[in-house]
Each structure stands twice: as structure tokens, then as C-alpha cells.
Amino acid sequence: MLDQPLTLPCGAELPNRIAKGAMTEGMATPDGRPTEELERLYGIWSDGGAGMLLTGNIIIDKDHLERPGNVVIEREPDADMAARLARWAKAGTRGGNHLWAQLSHGGRQTPKVVNPNPKSSSDVALALPGGQFGRPTPLTKDEIADLVQRWGIAAKACKEAGFTGVQVHAAHGYLISQFLSPRVNLRTDEYGGSLQNRARILLEAVGAVRSAVGPDFPISVKLNSADFQKGGFAFEDSINVVQWLEAASVDLIEISGGTYEQPKLMGVAGMEDEEAQNVAPSTAAREAYFVDFAKAMQDEVNVPLMVTGGFRTRAAMQQALDMGAADVIGLGRPMCLVTDAPRQLIEGREALPRYEDNLDLIPNWLGFLKRFQMMKAINGFAGIYWFYQQLWLLGHEGRVDEAYSVFKAFRTIEARNKAIMEARG
Ligand SMILES: Cc1cc2nc3c(=O)[nH]c(=O)nc-3n(C[C@H](O)[C@H](O)[C@H](O)COP(=O)(O)O)c2cc1C
């Protein structure tokens, strides 16, 4: 049942099975500090009945934002930062739910406007048209050691501020996911080569976080079921990594998939053909595209799993719980407009809107343009920008605007990104 509590291995209890997935907010100050707008947004969500809210990307290195306007924790917070984090945590837990901080590093997916010379596992550039991302430089071993420590420092800062858990972001093609991918990680040292080596940075980050927060505090990892790319991180790899994470005392694995090159996380086709994975398809929960992976994963591990991506009907959510595929259901896009979707679902609402079906920047009569890679990429980003704009409105004005145009959202967010980067200097 969706309203059933879940006890995690560390002993903490989630009050129900619905969580809001991480969604980047872009509402920090130009130097990465939480704001009143973030407090408003998370207060609204906390009133919405979710058992757990995940923050959007909180970045552990100001030069590797996922997006202008990310919150940044790269060292022990000063008094102002600590107070801002505490106010954010207080607002985001006022409904009695959990609030977990997602700790991330953009790696080569850091946009050029933030940093034209990002660091990654190796020097493999993103294969995307448009020149939005710079060619990366490989991290040195000292730099890796420094980043690992920062995951711990940021986790401790969040715990002290009143967040009730943390999540290490190892999915979606960001830095740790770059290390996991044999396509992006060409290193020949102990951080590259075998899966064990490619997973080393992740396990070290989790170890640093566990030492920083102690045994009773929830730690989650968001992991790809697969990258869905030829020669990429495959489902068999993912199962192995989850087994290691379980042994490393992780409390909840969130299963997602894909990268910027292959945005399977949104259920969207990428630039290249999708690489099929070795998992038995079931007839279950079709709308939620990682459920079969989670089900196959559950047969191999005991750690609780959260599954995010595509859930829109209560029946599919219930089925994923009943068939033992998921312990927690993650909701993303619907929560940008229906902020109390968890309460409504628990009270019996059958289905949430599929806003994503009507968010083309390119009108139908120009559909042929989508054959061109550049247009496909812009169209994909614009749909996401529309959700960014809804979050912005919630944080600033406490309202959403379903009629907001996709085109306007695209222009508004691009202009806002530029303004944030100019203010940062
Ligand atoms: C506006 C927006 C921002 C997102 N930001 C993040 C993020 O910061 N971290 C993350 O792990 N996933 C992020 N995602 C992915 C979601 O957590 C989720 O995996 C995805 O939206 C699929 O779930 P859904 O079908 O319920 O939307 C974002 C998605 C959207 C729509």
C-alpha cells in the first residue's frame, strides 16, 4: 500500500512509499546559497504528503554545476550558509516527511556557460550537437581524493542543518556515472578499467559520507539501471554495483537510467539507437520504464529500491510495490504542478497528468525538423525548461501556470542562466 511506512536498514522510517524525485531548482544565490524561494518551494512540497522529498542537485564543486543557480556546498559552511541550509531544511520537513539532500558533481555535463574546461574521468567529450559542453580534462588522483572528502563534508553539513538523509548522485551521466561508464572512463589507474575500479570513486564517496554522518542516518545512491548506450554501463554492471553498495551500508538505491546523450530517464529517445539490455520484459507497469529492471535487481539484493521514471497512475505504482519491484515510488514531473500528488494518490486519485506529452517547442506542422539532431536536442531541453519555469513560479509566487508557453520558458530560462552567471562574475 502506498501509505505504508518503510523502515530503512539504518533504522530510520519513511512515513509512506511516495517520494518526490530530485529536480534541480536553479534558485540559489549566484554563489550557491539557499534562498527564501527554496524555502517556499519545499514548504509547499512538504505540505503535499510525500514520505520523502529529495532536493535537486546540490553541487560539491562550484566549477562543476549542473546548471546556474545550483546550491553549492564545497566546504564546511560559514554561519550564513549554515543558517540558510537550516531554514531550508526546516521548511522542507514541516509536514513530518523526510528531506534528503542530493549531492552531485556535473563532470563533463557541466554547461560551457559555467565552465568551458570541466573535469571528468577522461577526456571524452559529450557527443551532443550545439557546442554547449566543453571537452573535459581527466581528474588527477589528488583531485579525486579531494572530491571524495567533499561528499563527506557536504553530507555532514546537511545533517547538521536538519536534512534527514543524503543521496549520492551516481546516475544520469554526471561525474560518478562518467566514471562508471567504460565509454567515458578510459583511465588506466585504479579508477579505470575493471568495473571494480570504475566504481571505486562511488564507493569511496559513500564511505566518506557514512563516516561523516554515522550509522543511523539514511544514505541513498541514485544509480542507472543502464546507460542504454553501446559499450556503456550495462544492467549486469548495475546489479554488481548495487551489491557492493548494499555491503557498504547504503539504505536506499534509486533506480533510474540514461545520460544527456541518451535521456532515457525522461522516457525520451536520444541521438543514438538505444542499446537493448538483458532483462525480461513483464506486462507490468508499462508506464514506468525501469520497473522490470528493478524487479530483476530485487532478486539479487536486499537493499530497499526506489524506482523513478514515468509513474502516472496509482494502479502502476501499486503494482510495482505488489510485485516486489519497488519499495518506494519516485515522482518527478507531476510534482512540478500537482505539488500534493502524494496525498491525492493516497486518498484515492487514480492518475496524474502527463504534461510531458504536450510540451513540444516544435509544432506538429514543423515536425520534420526533429529529424535534425540540433532541433531534437533543443526540443528536448525546452520541454524540461517548462518544468523549471513551474518550479520558479512556485518558489517565487507560490503558484504554477499550466498555460505558460514552451517557447517562452526556453527563452526565459536561457536569459536567467546568463544573468546568474554574469552576477557570479
Ligand atoms: C525539471 C527536472 C529537473 C530534474 N533534476 C534532477 C536532478 O537535479 N537530479 C536528478 O537526479 N534527477 C533530476 N531529474 C530527473 C527526475 O528526478 C526523474 O528521474 C525524472 O523526471 C523521471 O521521473 P518522472 O517521469 O516522474 O518525471 C529532473 C527532472 C526534471 C523534470
Side-chain angles (χ1 to χ4, degrees):
M1 297 296 281
L2 289 169
D3 63 353
Q4 212 184 356
L6 175 71
T7 304
L8 298 169
C10 70
E13 186 180 279
L14 302 183
N16 64 51
R17 302 307 181 97
I18 309 179
K20 181 200 78 73
M23 288 189 284
T24 174
E25 308 91 4
M27 279 182 230
T29 61
D31 65 340
R33 290 166 188 258
T35 54
E36 262 177 40
E37 288 74 27
L38 280 171
E39 290 168 39
R40 184 172 300 117
L41 175 62
Y42 279 80
I44 291 170
W45 272 328
S46 187
D47 295 340
M52 188 261 281
L53 303 173
L54 272 153
T55 69
N57 284 308
I58 294 177
I59 301 288
I60 61 158
D61 176 350
K62 69 173 173 19
D63 295 328
H64 290 87
L65 306 185
E66 156 273 321
R67 166 190 180 196
N70 287 143
V71 172
V72 178
I73 310 178
E74 54 174 14
R75 61 175 74 91
E76 276 183 35
D78 59 25
D80 172 67
M81 181 70 179
R84 286 170 182 263
L85 282 170
R87 285 198 298 270
W88 184 18
K90 189 168 177 210
T93 52
R94 72 185 184 198
N97 55 285
H98 271 260
L99 173 65
W100 294 5
Q102 186 183 58
L103 304 176
S104 319
H105 182 296
R108 69 174 191 157
Q109 288 186 171
T110 301
K112 232 181 210 171
V113 286
V114 173
N115 181 357
N117 301 301
K119 301 274 173 79
S120 177
S121 48
S122 303
D123 63 352
V124 182
L126 269 170
L128 284 179
Q132 302 266 8
F133 302 92
R135 186 182 198 85
T137 313
L139 285 159
T140 65
K141 284 207 281 184
D142 284 348
E143 287 170 332
I144 293 173
D146 175 52
L147 290 178
V148 164
Q149 289 317 309
R150 291 190 200 196
W151 260 289
I153 291 167
K156 183 157 176 268
C158 290
K159 183 182 176 192
E160 284 174 354
F163 289 80
T164 60
V166 291
Q167 181 179 69
V168 175
H169 196 346
H172 300 172
Y174 296 112
L175 184 70
I176 296 181
S177 167
Q178 290 158 32
F179 270 85
L180 289 170
S181 162
R183 267 170 67 130
V184 190
N185 182 348
L186 308 179
R187 301 175 76 94
T188 52
D189 63 7
E190 64 265 40
Y191 291 95
S194 66
L195 179 63
Q196 208 166 13
N197 281 356
R198 284 182 277 122
R200 192 176 303 280
I201 187 171
L202 168 59
L203 288 157
E204 287 181 354
V206 166
V209 169
R210 182 53 85 202
S211 321
V213 299
D216 310 328
F217 195 72
I219 301 179
S220 170
V221 169
K222 189 165 186 172
L223 188 71
N224 279 354
S225 49
D227 295 347
F228 300 94
Q229 292 184 286
K230 212 176 187 50
F233 183 70
F235 184 50
E236 291 75 22
D237 300 333
S238 187
I239 293 178
N240 272 311
V241 172
V242 171
Q243 287 168 335
W244 296 332
L245 291 170
E246 181 174 5
S249 83
V250 166
D251 293 284
L252 183 74
I253 306 282
E254 182 181 355
I255 303 288
S256 186
T259 65
Y260 281 11
E261 290 173 342
Q262 189 66 282
K264 179 85 175 166
L265 54 143
M266 301 289 183
V268 174
M271 301 286 166
E272 44 186 284
D273 290 341
E274 183 178 319
E275 181 77 350
Q277 300 297 312
N278 186 16
V279 60
S282 70
T283 51
R286 275 270 157 264
E287 66 187 41
Y289 26 88
F290 300 120
V291 161
D292 290 340
F293 291 92
K295 175 70 183 140
M297 185 83 79
Q298 290 276 20
D299 295 340
E300 310 287 334
V301 298
N302 291 313
V303 57
L305 299 183
M306 166 170 164
V307 183
T308 307
F311 280 109
R312 299 294 178 266
T313 65
R314 194 157 62 97
M317 298 174 205
Q318 193 58 56
Q319 192 177 21
L321 295 176
D322 290 345
M323 69 193 269
D327 300 287
V328 178
I329 303 294
L331 293 179
R333 288 163 284 186
M335 293 291 289
C336 297
L337 291 98
V338 188
T339 56
D340 63 346
R343 166 163 314 111
Q344 292 195 33
L345 287 162
I346 285 169
E347 287 175 357
R349 181 165 177 172
E350 294 295 343
L352 301 172
R354 300 184 53 85
Y355 301 106
E356 56 277 11
D357 292 347
N358 301 309
L359 291 180
D360 264 6
L361 181 65
I362 303 170
N364 274 342
W365 59 276
L366 285 175
F368 67 91
L369 283 175
K370 286 188 233 167
R371 285 206 298 269
F372 300 105
Q373 292 217 326
M374 181 69 184
M375 290 312 291
K376 214 166 144 183
I378 290 178
N379 202 46
F381 273 108
I384 295 172
Y385 283 6
W386 185 83
F387 290 103
Y388 287 1
Q389 181 59 18
Q390 303 300 336
L391 297 187
W392 176 271
L393 286 171
L394 280 169
H396 286 75
E397 300 172 24
R399 66 175 185 106
V400 296
D401 181 358
E402 212 177 305
Y404 206 92
S405 98
V406 180
F407 184 69
K408 198 168 154 200
F410 186 72
R411 295 213 355 209
T412 306
I413 301 285
E414 288 281 314
R416 208 173 277 147
N417 283 349
K418 208 165 150 238
I420 295 172
M421 292 320 295
E422 278 168 12
R424 195 165 101 136

